[in-house]
Structures are given as structure tokens and as C-alpha cells.
Amino acid sequence: MKQTIHSSLQTLSLIAVIGLLAWYFIGSSVPTHTLFTWMILLLIVTEISSLILVGGSFPESYTSLKVGVIAALFILLGIKNMLPSFFIPLTLTLIALNFLYNFYTSSKRKKGGYKRKRKPLRN
């Protein structure tokens, strides 16, 4: 059940990002920095909720990468003010990395090759 919610949550975040981009290109006068700020905030909420849902069933490498993505998203909010010329390229790179990794792990999980290792019991 958690896996389907996780996949649905990741798909909804992709649809939301595409929707925000379509809104920007079709007829909005919203500045690009504001649009990317909304995308980052949306992705932070999505990633935190997905990590809460499936953090215990995915491997530690997945959890550590997702924590790194969340931290990088928060850092991008600071970069927006300090280095505005790097904000958009870094945001696009991080969003692309995040979605590629989400769909990679989703397909690998469906095949059964992406599980958390059991720790041996100690007496």
C-alpha cells in the first residue's frame, strides 16, 4: 500500500512541476525565480512525505540520497539570494536528478531488486 502511495506521490509531483512550467510558458507573467521557488517548496513537501512513508522499506542509500536532495533544495533557496545566476541551472539539475532517481528506484523496486537488508539478530 505504501509503495503505491509513494509512486502516486512521485507522479503527482512530476505532474505539478510540468503544470507549473506550462503555466509559466502559456500565459503567466510570473518571474522565473518565483516559479522555481514554488517548485522547490512543492518538492520539499513531496520528498519529506515520501521519505516518511517508505523510508523504512527502501535501502539506506535511498534514504541518504533523499535526505541529501531535501538539504540541497533548502540550500537552493539560499542560493537564490546569494548567487541568482546559478539558481536556475542548479535547480533544473537537482529536479532532473531527483525525478530520474525516483523512476529508477520505482522500476527497480517493481522487479524486486531494491530491498532493505535485514540486520542479523544479536544475542
Side-chain angles (χ1 to χ4, degrees):
M1 179 68 181
K2 287 183 180 181
Q3 299 303 323
T4 58
I5 293 171
H6 173 67
S7 297
S8 300
L9 194 60
Q10 297 302 329
T11 304
L12 283 175
S13 70
L14 179 63
I15 290 169
V17 167
I18 291 171
L20 283 170
L21 286 173
W23 176 53
Y24 173 74
F25 285 115
I26 288 176
S28 176
S29 61
V30 176
T32 310
H33 290 296
T34 305
L35 177 75
F36 278 99
T37 303
W38 281 105
M39 279 188 208
I40 288 172
L41 294 173
L42 176 79
L43 287 174
I44 287 172
V45 169
T46 304
E47 293 303 324
I48 289 174
S49 58
S50 71
L51 195 59
I52 289 170
L53 282 174
V54 296
S57 60
F58 278 85
E60 291 83 5
S61 62
Y62 176 85
T63 306
S64 63
L65 184 100
K66 286 300 177 175
V67 169
V69 165
I70 293 168
L73 288 168
F74 278 115
I75 291 169
L76 278 173
L77 292 176
I79 287 176
K80 177 182 151 187
N81 295 330
M82 292 185 285
L83 296 168
S85 62
F86 287 121
F87 176 66
I88 293 175
L90 288 176
T91 304
L92 288 175
T93 304
L94 185 64
I95 288 172
L97 171 86
N98 183 36
F99 285 128
L100 286 174
Y101 189 73
N102 285 340
F103 290 111
Y104 164 75
T105 56
S106 177
S107 67
K108 194 168 181 181
R109 180 87 172 158
K110 287 178 185 175
K111 293 178 185 175
Y114 208 66
K115 296 179 182 174
R116 183 177 282 253
K117 294 180 182 175
R118 303 274 180 183
K119 293 182 180 179
L121 296 174
R122 293 185 183 174
N123 293 331

Short mmCIF file of all heavy atoms in Angstrom, two decimals, residues 43-100:
data_model
loop_
_atom_site.label_atom_id
_atom_site.label_comp_id
_atom_site.label_asym_id
_atom_site.label_seq_id
_atom_site.Cartn_x
_atom_site.Cartn_y
_atom_site.Cartn_z
N LEU A 43 8.49 20.42 -4.02
CA LEU A 43 9.33 19.22 -3.96
C LEU A 43 9.80 18.91 -2.54
O LEU A 43 9.95 17.75 -2.17
CB LEU A 43 10.52 19.37 -4.90
CG LEU A 43 10.19 19.25 -6.37
CD1 LEU A 43 11.42 19.55 -7.21
CD2 LEU A 43 9.66 17.88 -6.69
N ILE A 44 10.04 19.94 -1.73
CA ILE A 44 10.43 19.69 -0.33
C ILE A 44 9.31 18.96 0.40
O ILE A 44 9.55 17.97 1.08
CB ILE A 44 10.80 21.02 0.37
CG1 ILE A 44 12.14 21.53 -0.12
CG2 ILE A 44 10.83 20.83 1.89
CD1 ILE A 44 12.50 22.92 0.37
N VAL A 45 8.09 19.43 0.23
CA VAL A 45 6.95 18.78 0.89
C VAL A 45 6.78 17.35 0.37
O VAL A 45 6.57 16.41 1.16
CB VAL A 45 5.66 19.61 0.67
CG1 VAL A 45 4.43 18.86 1.11
CG2 VAL A 45 5.76 20.93 1.40
N THR A 46 6.89 17.17 -0.92
CA THR A 46 6.73 15.84 -1.51
C THR A 46 7.81 14.88 -1.03
O THR A 46 7.52 13.74 -0.66
CB THR A 46 6.78 15.93 -3.05
OG1 THR A 46 5.78 16.83 -3.49
CG2 THR A 46 6.57 14.58 -3.68
N GLU A 47 9.05 15.32 -1.03
CA GLU A 47 10.16 14.44 -0.64
C GLU A 47 10.11 14.08 0.84
O GLU A 47 10.39 12.95 1.21
CB GLU A 47 11.50 15.07 -1.00
CG GLU A 47 11.75 15.19 -2.47
CD GLU A 47 11.68 13.87 -3.20
OE1 GLU A 47 12.10 12.83 -2.66
OE2 GLU A 47 11.17 13.86 -4.32
N ILE A 48 9.76 15.03 1.68
CA ILE A 48 9.66 14.72 3.11
C ILE A 48 8.54 13.72 3.36
O ILE A 48 8.72 12.75 4.10
CB ILE A 48 9.47 16.02 3.93
CG1 ILE A 48 10.78 16.82 3.93
CG2 ILE A 48 9.05 15.69 5.36
CD1 ILE A 48 10.67 18.17 4.59
N SER A 49 7.39 13.93 2.72
CA SER A 49 6.29 12.99 2.94
C SER A 49 6.60 11.61 2.36
O SER A 49 6.26 10.60 2.97
CB SER A 49 4.99 13.55 2.37
OG SER A 49 5.13 13.82 1.01
N SER A 50 7.26 11.54 1.21
CA SER A 50 7.61 10.23 0.66
C SER A 50 8.67 9.53 1.50
O SER A 50 8.65 8.31 1.64
CB SER A 50 8.05 10.34 -0.79
OG SER A 50 9.31 10.95 -0.88
N LEU A 51 9.57 10.29 2.07
CA LEU A 51 10.59 9.70 2.94
C LEU A 51 9.97 9.15 4.21
O LEU A 51 10.36 8.09 4.70
CB LEU A 51 11.67 10.73 3.26
CG LEU A 51 12.96 10.22 3.86
CD1 LEU A 51 13.61 9.21 2.92
CD2 LEU A 51 13.90 11.37 4.11
N ILE A 52 8.97 9.85 4.73
CA ILE A 52 8.26 9.36 5.91
C ILE A 52 7.50 8.07 5.58
O ILE A 52 7.47 7.13 6.38
CB ILE A 52 7.30 10.44 6.46
CG1 ILE A 52 8.12 11.57 7.08
CG2 ILE A 52 6.33 9.87 7.47
CD1 ILE A 52 7.31 12.80 7.44
N LEU A 53 6.90 8.02 4.40
CA LEU A 53 6.11 6.86 4.01
C LEU A 53 6.95 5.60 3.80
O LEU A 53 6.60 4.53 4.30
CB LEU A 53 5.33 7.14 2.73
CG LEU A 53 4.08 7.97 2.87
CD1 LEU A 53 3.50 8.29 1.49
CD2 LEU A 53 3.05 7.23 3.69
N VAL A 54 8.02 5.70 3.04
CA VAL A 54 8.73 4.49 2.64
C VAL A 54 10.19 4.47 3.09
O VAL A 54 10.96 3.66 2.59
CB VAL A 54 8.66 4.28 1.11
CG1 VAL A 54 7.25 4.04 0.67
CG2 VAL A 54 9.29 5.42 0.38
N GLY A 55 10.57 5.31 4.01
CA GLY A 55 11.97 5.35 4.42
C GLY A 55 12.45 4.05 5.03
O GLY A 55 13.60 3.67 4.88
N GLY A 56 11.57 3.33 5.70
CA GLY A 56 11.96 2.09 6.34
C GLY A 56 12.03 0.89 5.42
O GLY A 56 12.67 -0.10 5.74
N SER A 57 11.41 0.94 4.27
CA SER A 57 11.40 -0.21 3.38
C SER A 57 12.42 -0.10 2.25
O SER A 57 12.78 -1.10 1.65
CB SER A 57 10.00 -0.42 2.79
OG SER A 57 9.60 0.70 2.06
N PHE A 58 12.87 1.10 1.94
CA PHE A 58 13.90 1.27 0.92
C PHE A 58 15.27 1.16 1.58
O PHE A 58 15.42 1.38 2.78
CB PHE A 58 13.75 2.62 0.22
CG PHE A 58 12.72 2.63 -0.87
CD1 PHE A 58 11.38 2.84 -0.60
CD2 PHE A 58 13.10 2.43 -2.19
CE1 PHE A 58 10.44 2.85 -1.60
CE2 PHE A 58 12.16 2.44 -3.21
CZ PHE A 58 10.83 2.64 -2.92
N PRO A 59 16.31 0.88 0.81
CA PRO A 59 17.66 0.77 1.38
C PRO A 59 18.17 2.09 1.94
O PRO A 59 17.63 3.16 1.66
CB PRO A 59 18.52 0.32 0.21
CG PRO A 59 17.63 0.01 -0.91
CD PRO A 59 16.29 0.57 -0.61
N GLU A 60 19.24 1.97 2.71
CA GLU A 60 19.83 3.15 3.33
C GLU A 60 20.37 4.13 2.30
O GLU A 60 20.38 5.34 2.54
CB GLU A 60 20.95 2.74 4.30
CG GLU A 60 20.48 2.03 5.53
CD GLU A 60 20.24 0.53 5.33
OE1 GLU A 60 20.53 0.01 4.23
OE2 GLU A 60 19.73 -0.11 6.26
N SER A 61 20.82 3.64 1.17
CA SER A 61 21.33 4.53 0.13
C SER A 61 20.22 5.43 -0.40
O SER A 61 20.45 6.61 -0.69
CB SER A 61 21.95 3.72 -1.02
OG SER A 61 20.97 2.89 -1.63
N TYR A 62 19.01 4.90 -0.51
CA TYR A 62 17.86 5.70 -0.95
C TYR A 62 17.56 6.78 0.07
O TYR A 62 17.37 7.95 -0.28
CB TYR A 62 16.64 4.79 -1.13
CG TYR A 62 15.38 5.54 -1.48
CD1 TYR A 62 15.10 5.87 -2.80
CD2 TYR A 62 14.47 5.92 -0.51
CE1 TYR A 62 13.95 6.55 -3.14
CE2 TYR A 62 13.32 6.61 -0.84
CZ TYR A 62 13.06 6.91 -2.15
OH TYR A 62 11.92 7.60 -2.48
N THR A 63 17.55 6.40 1.34
CA THR A 63 17.25 7.36 2.40
C THR A 63 18.29 8.46 2.46
O THR A 63 17.95 9.64 2.56
CB THR A 63 17.17 6.64 3.76
OG1 THR A 63 16.23 5.56 3.65
CG2 THR A 63 16.73 7.56 4.86
N SER A 64 19.56 8.09 2.35
CA SER A 64 20.61 9.11 2.42
C SER A 64 20.57 10.03 1.21
O SER A 64 20.79 11.24 1.33
CB SER A 64 21.98 8.47 2.57
OG SER A 64 22.29 7.68 1.45
N LEU A 65 20.27 9.50 0.02
CA LEU A 65 20.17 10.37 -1.15
C LEU A 65 18.98 11.31 -1.02
O LEU A 65 19.08 12.49 -1.35
CB LEU A 65 20.05 9.56 -2.45
CG LEU A 65 20.05 10.47 -3.67
CD1 LEU A 65 21.40 10.49 -4.31
CD2 LEU A 65 18.99 10.08 -4.64
N LYS A 66 17.86 10.83 -0.52
CA LYS A 66 16.68 11.68 -0.37
C LYS A 66 16.90 12.77 0.68
O LYS A 66 16.45 13.89 0.51
CB LYS A 66 15.45 10.85 -0.01
CG LYS A 66 14.93 10.06 -1.18
CD LYS A 66 14.54 11.00 -2.28
CE LYS A 66 14.08 10.30 -3.52
NZ LYS A 66 13.60 11.19 -4.54
N VAL A 67 17.60 12.45 1.75
CA VAL A 67 17.93 13.48 2.74
C VAL A 67 18.86 14.51 2.10
O VAL A 67 18.72 15.72 2.33
CB VAL A 67 18.56 12.85 4.00
CG1 VAL A 67 19.16 13.89 4.92
CG2 VAL A 67 17.51 12.03 4.75
N GLY A 68 19.78 14.06 1.27
CA GLY A 68 20.66 14.98 0.55
C GLY A 68 19.91 15.87 -0.43
O GLY A 68 20.20 17.05 -0.56
N VAL A 69 18.90 15.30 -1.09
CA VAL A 69 18.08 16.09 -2.02
C VAL A 69 17.29 17.14 -1.26
O VAL A 69 17.20 18.30 -1.68
CB VAL A 69 17.14 15.17 -2.85
CG1 VAL A 69 16.06 15.96 -3.55
CG2 VAL A 69 17.95 14.38 -3.86
N ILE A 70 16.73 16.76 -0.12
CA ILE A 70 15.97 17.72 0.69
C ILE A 70 16.88 18.84 1.18
O ILE A 70 16.53 20.03 1.11
CB ILE A 70 15.27 17.01 1.87
CG1 ILE A 70 14.19 16.06 1.34
CG2 ILE A 70 14.68 18.01 2.85
CD1 ILE A 70 13.64 15.11 2.37
N ALA A 71 18.07 18.48 1.64
CA ALA A 71 19.02 19.50 2.08
C ALA A 71 19.44 20.41 0.92
O ALA A 71 19.54 21.63 1.08
CB ALA A 71 20.25 18.84 2.70
N ALA A 72 19.66 19.82 -0.26
CA ALA A 72 20.03 20.62 -1.43
C ALA A 72 18.92 21.56 -1.84
O ALA A 72 19.18 22.68 -2.28
CB ALA A 72 20.41 19.70 -2.58
N LEU A 73 17.67 21.12 -1.70
CA LEU A 73 16.55 22.01 -2.02
C LEU A 73 16.50 23.20 -1.07
O LEU A 73 16.24 24.33 -1.50
CB LEU A 73 15.23 21.22 -1.97
CG LEU A 73 15.00 20.24 -3.12
CD1 LEU A 73 13.82 19.33 -2.82
CD2 LEU A 73 14.80 20.97 -4.43
N PHE A 74 16.75 22.95 0.21
CA PHE A 74 16.82 24.08 1.16
C PHE A 74 17.99 25.00 0.84
O PHE A 74 17.89 26.22 0.95
CB PHE A 74 16.91 23.57 2.60
CG PHE A 74 15.59 23.20 3.19
CD1 PHE A 74 15.32 21.89 3.54
CD2 PHE A 74 14.61 24.16 3.42
CE1 PHE A 74 14.10 21.54 4.09
CE2 PHE A 74 13.39 23.83 3.97
CZ PHE A 74 13.12 22.51 4.31
N ILE A 75 19.12 24.42 0.45
CA ILE A 75 20.29 25.23 0.09
C ILE A 75 20.01 26.08 -1.14
O ILE A 75 20.44 27.22 -1.23
CB ILE A 75 21.52 24.32 -0.11
CG1 ILE A 75 21.96 23.74 1.24
CG2 ILE A 75 22.66 25.06 -0.78
CD1 ILE A 75 22.98 22.65 1.15
N LEU A 76 19.24 25.52 -2.08
CA LEU A 76 18.89 26.28 -3.28
C LEU A 76 18.09 27.53 -2.95
O LEU A 76 18.21 28.54 -3.65
CB LEU A 76 18.09 25.41 -4.26
CG LEU A 76 18.91 24.49 -5.13
CD1 LEU A 76 18.00 23.58 -5.93
CD2 LEU A 76 19.81 25.28 -6.06
N LEU A 77 17.28 27.47 -1.91
CA LEU A 77 16.55 28.67 -1.51
C LEU A 77 17.51 29.78 -1.06
O LEU A 77 17.26 30.95 -1.27
CB LEU A 77 15.54 28.34 -0.42
CG LEU A 77 14.37 27.47 -0.84
CD1 LEU A 77 13.50 27.13 0.36
CD2 LEU A 77 13.56 28.13 -1.93
N GLY A 78 18.63 29.40 -0.44
CA GLY A 78 19.64 30.38 -0.06
C GLY A 78 20.45 30.86 -1.25
O GLY A 78 20.83 32.03 -1.33
N ILE A 79 20.72 29.96 -2.18
CA ILE A 79 21.47 30.33 -3.38
C ILE A 79 20.69 31.34 -4.21
O ILE A 79 21.27 32.19 -4.89
CB ILE A 79 21.82 29.07 -4.20
CG1 ILE A 79 22.91 28.29 -3.48
CG2 ILE A 79 22.26 29.41 -5.62
CD1 ILE A 79 23.26 26.98 -4.15
N LYS A 80 19.37 31.26 -4.14
CA LYS A 80 18.53 32.18 -4.90
C LYS A 80 18.87 33.63 -4.59
O LYS A 80 18.90 34.48 -5.47
CB LYS A 80 17.07 31.91 -4.57
CG LYS A 80 16.10 32.84 -5.24
CD LYS A 80 14.70 32.49 -4.79
CE LYS A 80 13.86 33.73 -4.82
NZ LYS A 80 12.56 33.53 -4.27
N ASN A 81 19.18 33.91 -3.33
CA ASN A 81 19.52 35.28 -2.94
C ASN A 81 20.99 35.60 -3.11
O ASN A 81 21.35 36.73 -3.44
CB ASN A 81 19.11 35.51 -1.48
CG ASN A 81 17.62 35.43 -1.30
OD1 ASN A 81 16.86 35.74 -2.21
ND2 ASN A 81 17.19 35.01 -0.13
N MET A 82 21.86 34.62 -2.87
CA MET A 82 23.29 34.89 -2.90
C MET A 82 23.88 34.85 -4.31
O MET A 82 24.69 35.70 -4.67
CB MET A 82 24.03 33.89 -2.02
CG MET A 82 23.74 34.07 -0.55
SD MET A 82 24.71 32.97 0.49
CE MET A 82 23.87 31.43 0.21
N LEU A 83 23.52 33.85 -5.09
CA LEU A 83 24.05 33.69 -6.44
C LEU A 83 22.90 33.46 -7.42
O LEU A 83 22.66 32.34 -7.86
CB LEU A 83 25.01 32.50 -6.51
CG LEU A 83 26.28 32.60 -5.68
CD1 LEU A 83 26.98 31.27 -5.61
CD2 LEU A 83 27.19 33.65 -6.27
N PRO A 84 22.17 34.50 -7.77
CA PRO A 84 20.98 34.29 -8.61
C PRO A 84 21.28 33.75 -10.00
O PRO A 84 20.43 33.13 -10.61
CB PRO A 84 20.35 35.68 -8.68
CG PRO A 84 21.34 36.63 -8.17
CD PRO A 84 22.35 35.88 -7.38
N SER A 85 22.48 33.94 -10.50
CA SER A 85 22.78 33.43 -11.84
C SER A 85 22.93 31.90 -11.84
O SER A 85 22.74 31.27 -12.88
CB SER A 85 24.06 34.06 -12.38
OG SER A 85 25.15 33.74 -11.55
N PHE A 86 23.26 31.30 -10.70
CA PHE A 86 23.38 29.85 -10.61
C PHE A 86 22.09 29.18 -10.17
O PHE A 86 21.99 27.96 -10.19
CB PHE A 86 24.48 29.46 -9.60
CG PHE A 86 25.86 29.71 -10.11
CD1 PHE A 86 26.71 30.56 -9.43
CD2 PHE A 86 26.31 29.09 -11.25
CE1 PHE A 86 27.98 30.78 -9.89
CE2 PHE A 86 27.58 29.31 -11.72
CZ PHE A 86 28.43 30.17 -11.04
N PHE A 87 21.11 29.94 -9.76
CA PHE A 87 19.89 29.39 -9.18
C PHE A 87 19.13 28.49 -10.16
O PHE A 87 18.80 27.35 -9.84
CB PHE A 87 18.99 30.51 -8.66
CG PHE A 87 17.67 30.04 -8.12
CD1 PHE A 87 17.62 29.26 -6.99
CD2 PHE A 87 16.49 30.37 -8.76
CE1 PHE A 87 16.42 28.82 -6.49
CE2 PHE A 87 15.27 29.95 -8.26
CZ PHE A 87 15.24 29.17 -7.12
N ILE A 88 18.84 28.98 -11.33
CA ILE A 88 18.03 28.21 -12.29
C ILE A 88 18.76 26.97 -12.81
O ILE A 88 18.19 25.88 -12.80
CB ILE A 88 17.53 29.12 -13.42
CG1 ILE A 88 16.56 30.14 -12.85
CG2 ILE A 88 16.87 28.31 -14.53
CD1 ILE A 88 16.08 31.18 -13.80
N PRO A 89 20.03 27.05 -13.21
CA PRO A 89 20.70 25.82 -13.67
C PRO A 89 20.84 24.77 -12.58
O PRO A 89 20.63 23.58 -12.83
CB PRO A 89 22.08 26.29 -14.13
CG PRO A 89 21.96 27.74 -14.35
CD PRO A 89 20.87 28.23 -13.46
N LEU A 90 21.16 25.18 -11.37
CA LEU A 90 21.27 24.21 -10.28
C LEU A 90 19.92 23.61 -9.93
O LEU A 90 19.82 22.42 -9.62
CB LEU A 90 21.89 24.87 -9.04
CG LEU A 90 23.37 25.20 -9.13
CD1 LEU A 90 23.82 25.94 -7.88
CD2 LEU A 90 24.19 23.96 -9.34
N THR A 91 18.87 24.40 -9.97
CA THR A 91 17.54 23.89 -9.68
C THR A 91 17.11 22.88 -10.72
O THR A 91 16.58 21.81 -10.38
CB THR A 91 16.52 25.05 -9.62
OG1 THR A 91 16.95 25.99 -8.64
CG2 THR A 91 15.15 24.55 -9.24
N LEU A 92 17.33 23.18 -11.99
CA LEU A 92 16.98 22.24 -13.05
C LEU A 92 17.77 20.93 -12.93
O LEU A 92 17.22 19.85 -13.13
CB LEU A 92 17.21 22.87 -14.42
CG LEU A 92 16.23 23.95 -14.83
CD1 LEU A 92 16.66 24.58 -16.15
CD2 LEU A 92 14.83 23.40 -14.93
N THR A 93 19.03 21.04 -12.59
CA THR A 93 19.86 19.85 -12.43
C THR A 93 19.36 18.99 -11.28
O THR A 93 19.24 17.76 -11.41
CB THR A 93 21.33 20.25 -12.19
OG1 THR A 93 21.77 21.07 -13.27
CG2 THR A 93 22.22 19.04 -12.06
N LEU A 94 19.05 19.61 -10.15
CA LEU A 94 18.58 18.85 -9.00
C LEU A 94 17.21 18.23 -9.23
O LEU A 94 16.97 17.08 -8.86
CB LEU A 94 18.54 19.75 -7.75
CG LEU A 94 18.17 19.03 -6.46
CD1 LEU A 94 19.24 18.01 -6.10
CD2 LEU A 94 18.00 20.03 -5.34
N ILE A 95 16.32 18.95 -9.88
CA ILE A 95 14.99 18.40 -10.18
C ILE A 95 15.11 17.21 -11.13
O ILE A 95 14.46 16.19 -10.95
CB ILE A 95 14.08 19.50 -10.75
CG1 ILE A 95 13.68 20.49 -9.64
CG2 ILE A 95 12.82 18.91 -11.37
CD1 ILE A 95 12.93 21.71 -10.13
N ALA A 96 15.96 17.34 -12.14
CA ALA A 96 16.16 16.23 -13.09
C ALA A 96 16.77 15.02 -12.39
O ALA A 96 16.31 13.89 -12.60
CB ALA A 96 17.05 16.68 -14.24
N LEU A 97 17.77 15.23 -11.56
CA LEU A 97 18.38 14.13 -10.81
C LEU A 97 17.35 13.45 -9.92
O LEU A 97 17.27 12.23 -9.86
CB LEU A 97 19.55 14.65 -9.96
CG LEU A 97 20.12 13.66 -8.97
CD1 LEU A 97 21.16 12.80 -9.66
CD2 LEU A 97 20.70 14.38 -7.79
N ASN A 98 16.55 14.23 -9.25
CA ASN A 98 15.54 13.69 -8.35
C ASN A 98 14.53 12.82 -9.09
O ASN A 98 14.23 11.70 -8.68
CB ASN A 98 14.84 14.83 -7.61
CG ASN A 98 13.84 14.34 -6.61
OD1 ASN A 98 14.05 13.33 -5.96
ND2 ASN A 98 12.75 15.05 -6.49
N PHE A 99 13.99 13.32 -10.21
CA PHE A 99 12.98 12.55 -10.93
C PHE A 99 13.58 11.31 -11.60
O PHE A 99 12.94 10.25 -11.62
CB PHE A 99 12.26 13.42 -11.95
CG PHE A 99 11.27 14.35 -11.31
CD1 PHE A 99 11.30 15.69 -11.59
CD2 PHE A 99 10.33 13.89 -10.42
CE1 PHE A 99 10.40 16.55 -11.01
CE2 PHE A 99 9.42 14.73 -9.83
CZ PHE A 99 9.46 16.08 -10.12
N LEU A 100 14.78 11.42 -12.13
CA LEU A 100 15.42 10.24 -12.71
C LEU A 100 15.64 9.17 -11.65
O LEU A 100 15.40 7.98 -11.88
CB LEU A 100 16.74 10.60 -13.38
CG LEU A 100 16.63 11.35 -14.70
CD1 LEU A 100 18.02 11.78 -15.18
CD2 LEU A 100 15.96 10.48 -15.74
#
